[in-house]
Amino acid sequence: MATKYGYMIYVFRAHPYRSPDEAAVLGQLGGRGEQDALTVLYGALQAMTARRISEKSKHIQARTVEGVGRTIRFSVSVGQSGQSSEFFGPDDSEPVFTRLDEHIETNVRRGLIVVPSRATVGLLALEVHGRSGAKALLVPILARLFRKHTGLVLDVDAVADEAALQKFIAEAQAHEITLRRTGLPRDIADAVEMNAEQAPAGKLELKITPGRLKHFQQALIGRLRGDDPTRSALLQMHGLQFDELSVGMEVGERRTTLTVTADSAPTFIYDIRTQEIPDEQRFYDEVLSSVREMAPAVGVNVTPGWDNEKWSDDAQQFRLNLLPEESDDDAEPDTTQ
């Protein structure tokens, strides 16, 4: 199956520790205008270009960072180590390369940060290939650097596309449902001759095409509206507990994938309709289009030139200090996509 390309959109706020309701104005952190969240986040990403940051077997490093208006365009290299394997060419009987545990396999993911000057809410868009993104490593690092240099907590939450969710609930057109889990049950692992060491890394995917099964669709819709235990029940089937459920759907001209997990509200991946990795122009055109549609609904108010004004050379060179204690052993990436 061809890889799907898209992006997820998150909202973020800054607030004092233990005071989540006291959201700061992003362009005037602390209320006196001495710090701008745009500059701080830009400097944090620039700091991440200095070296690779590791958390156990996961690794990340910023590749490019560019300030444009009240936005930051960036790319990060995300990777994983801890696997050993042999690589063969199509006509080779001997391996052309042997990967060891210390080797790091990386992929590049792009992103966009929108930081209004007079609002308390900003937007973060992150590229996704299939189910793979950069949030799990990137966001905790940005949050630590942000707090170190501002004293404020940076909260990042996925945006639930209310319009898409309402349309799905109203029309109940669940044409394909996919359940996924990581880690194979013992009987399934045995059936495919996978040993005990490999089974936890195995992945199981169950696709359902409901067709005219209206009862199934209605039950699904009801559970989407429920609380955590209700959604958790939705992820159980034939005695198996799945990690995630996704539903492919279209809202107007936009194709999205609704994702449901047991411990968070439904979220959306916005699909980019292409068979190949989208180029820079296509990726940012798609993301900016969604941002323009979504910004007013989530309280992101931007000023003229927010997405096209050029930064000075001096501004583009700004970088925060990436201290050792912020970069390696104490990293605490989340486990969400």
Side-chain angles (χ1 to χ4, degrees):
M1 180 180 295
T3 299
K4 288 186 177 181
Y5 303 103
Y7 52 95
M8 291 188 70
I9 298 181
Y10 307 86
V11 295
F12 64 86
R13 299 173 178 83
H15 61 82
Y17 181 60
R18 292 183 178 175
S19 300
D21 295 331
E22 298 178 17
V25 176
L26 295 175
Q28 302 176 23
L29 299 176
R32 296 183 295 276
E34 70 274 14
Q35 285 187 306
D36 187 333
L38 179 70
T39 305
V40 175
L41 290 169
Y42 178 86
L45 284 164
Q46 282 282 27
M48 290 177 62
T49 65
R51 67 172 181 270
R52 183 184 303 117
I53 300 170
S54 300
E55 160 59 17
K56 298 181 180 177
S57 63
K58 298 183 183 298
H59 314 271
I60 188 170
Q61 184 171 14
R63 297 274 295 270
T64 61
V65 187
E66 179 187 11
V68 183
R70 296 294 303 181
T71 75
I72 306 165
R73 300 185 181 194
F74 65 92
S75 64
V76 292
S77 176
V78 290
Q80 187 163 350
S81 58
Q83 297 182 354
S84 59
S85 58
E86 295 180 333
F87 289 77
F88 292 82
D91 301 318
D92 296 319
S93 58
E94 297 294 328
V96 296
F97 174 72
T98 299
R99 178 169 63 180
L100 304 178
D101 286 352
E102 61 266 27
H103 289 142
I104 301 171
E105 181 181 358
T106 64
N107 292 282
V108 174
R109 298 290 182 268
R110 292 164 291 194
L112 177 80
I113 301 177
V114 181
V115 188
S117 58
R118 298 185 181 89
T120 59
V121 179
L123 290 174
L124 166 66
L126 290 175
E127 184 175 17
V128 176
H129 293 181
R131 316 305 303 170
S132 172
K135 179 180 182 286
L137 273 177
L138 176 64
V139 167
I141 296 168
L142 289 181
R144 281 202 310 279
L145 284 167
F146 193 88
R147 185 171 179 185
K148 180 72 175 181
H149 291 275
T150 68
L152 299 173
V153 175
L154 186 71
D155 282 340
V156 180
D157 300 299
V159 174
D161 188 325
E162 292 297 331
L165 187 56
Q166 290 292 338
K167 183 179 179 65
F168 175 72
I169 290 172
E171 297 186 0
Q173 296 301 321
H175 57 80
E176 182 176 89
I177 297 170
T178 305
L179 288 153
R180 299 181 180 87
R181 67 170 280 162
T182 299
L184 298 184
R186 184 68 268 162
D187 56 344
I188 295 178
D190 288 342
V192 296
E193 300 183 358
M194 183 176 288
N195 62 40
E197 292 181 354
Q198 296 172 323
K203 296 183 185 299
L204 183 64
E205 189 169 279
L206 174 64
K207 286 190 178 294
I208 305 168
T209 52
R212 297 180 179 274
L213 300 180
K214 292 295 183 181
H215 292 297
F216 181 86
Q217 294 184 8
Q218 294 299 330
L220 172 64
I221 293 165
R223 291 172 182 176
L224 284 178
R225 285 173 158 160
D227 54 13
D228 291 355
T230 306
R231 287 196 299 274
S232 181
L234 177 62
L235 298 175
Q236 297 178 27
M237 187 167 292
H238 292 288
L240 287 179
Q241 178 69 37
F242 289 85
D243 304 318
E244 175 189 295
L245 176 147
S246 67
V247 184
M249 57 180 294
E250 293 190 11
V251 181
E253 297 298 318
R254 193 179 304 282
R255 179 181 296 173
T256 65
T257 302
L258 170 67
T259 301
V260 182
T261 63
D263 57 357
S264 64
T267 58
F268 285 83
I269 292 176
Y270 297 83
D271 296 336
I272 298 176
R273 302 188 187 197
T274 177
Q275 298 299 314
E276 299 178 347
I277 297 175
D279 61 22
E280 296 288 298
Q281 185 72 38
R282 175 76 181 275
F283 175 74
Y284 285 111
D285 282 351
E286 294 265 359
V287 171
L288 287 168
S289 175
S290 291
V291 166
R292 292 186 188 99
E293 294 176 7
M294 186 177 298
V298 297
V300 176
N301 302 315
V302 290
T303 54
W306 68 275
D307 62 345
N308 57 27
E309 285 187 354
K310 292 186 177 181
W311 286 24
S312 69
D313 290 340
D314 287 344
Q316 295 278 11
Q317 296 303 314
F318 178 72
R319 176 183 294 183
L320 298 182
N321 293 322
L322 183 63
L323 302 179
E325 63 268 22
E326 295 174 316
S327 61
D328 297 311
D329 295 337
D330 65 340
E332 296 179 358
D334 63 22
T335 56
T336 60
Q337 177 69 39

